[in-house]
Amino acid sequence: MVRANPVYTSQTCSRCRVVDANSRKNQAEFVCTACEHTAHADVNAAPNILGAGRPCQPVETSAPAGLRSRNP
Ligand SMILES: [Zn+2]
């Protein structure tokens, strides 16, 4: 799964994309300070998480070890 900052996305309005910590009223409620869009915080954050944090390149952390032992 793509990593996205849950705090950042939870402060981003899914309608107007304004990021404001004050939009997050509490753990469950999101009320945008810019456009007054209101949503359950988790519901509002969901499309933000889907649209954020796209990786540029897939990172290979493990090199295939079998390639080196091919030559005697
Ligand atoms: Zn908004």
Side-chain angles (χ1 to χ4, degrees):
M1 179 171 175
V2 177
R3 287 186 186 178
N5 189 328
V7 177
Y8 187 80
T9 53
S10 68
Q11 296 174 356
T12 305
C13 177
S14 61
R15 180 197 273 176
C16 71
R17 314 302 294 180
V18 167
V19 180
D20 190 341
N22 293 325
S23 295
R24 188 65 180 271
K25 294 295 184 183
N26 54 54
Q27 187 67 28
E29 189 178 11
F30 180 95
V31 180
C32 180
T33 57
C35 74
E36 298 183 327
H37 168 67
T38 304
H40 188 281
D42 291 339
V43 175
N44 179 75
N48 296 336
I49 293 172
L50 290 174
R54 291 197 187 97
C56 299
Q57 295 287 337
V59 178
E60 292 289 338
T61 54
S62 60
L67 293 177
R68 283 191 293 170
S69 61
R70 186 164 294 177
N71 295 328

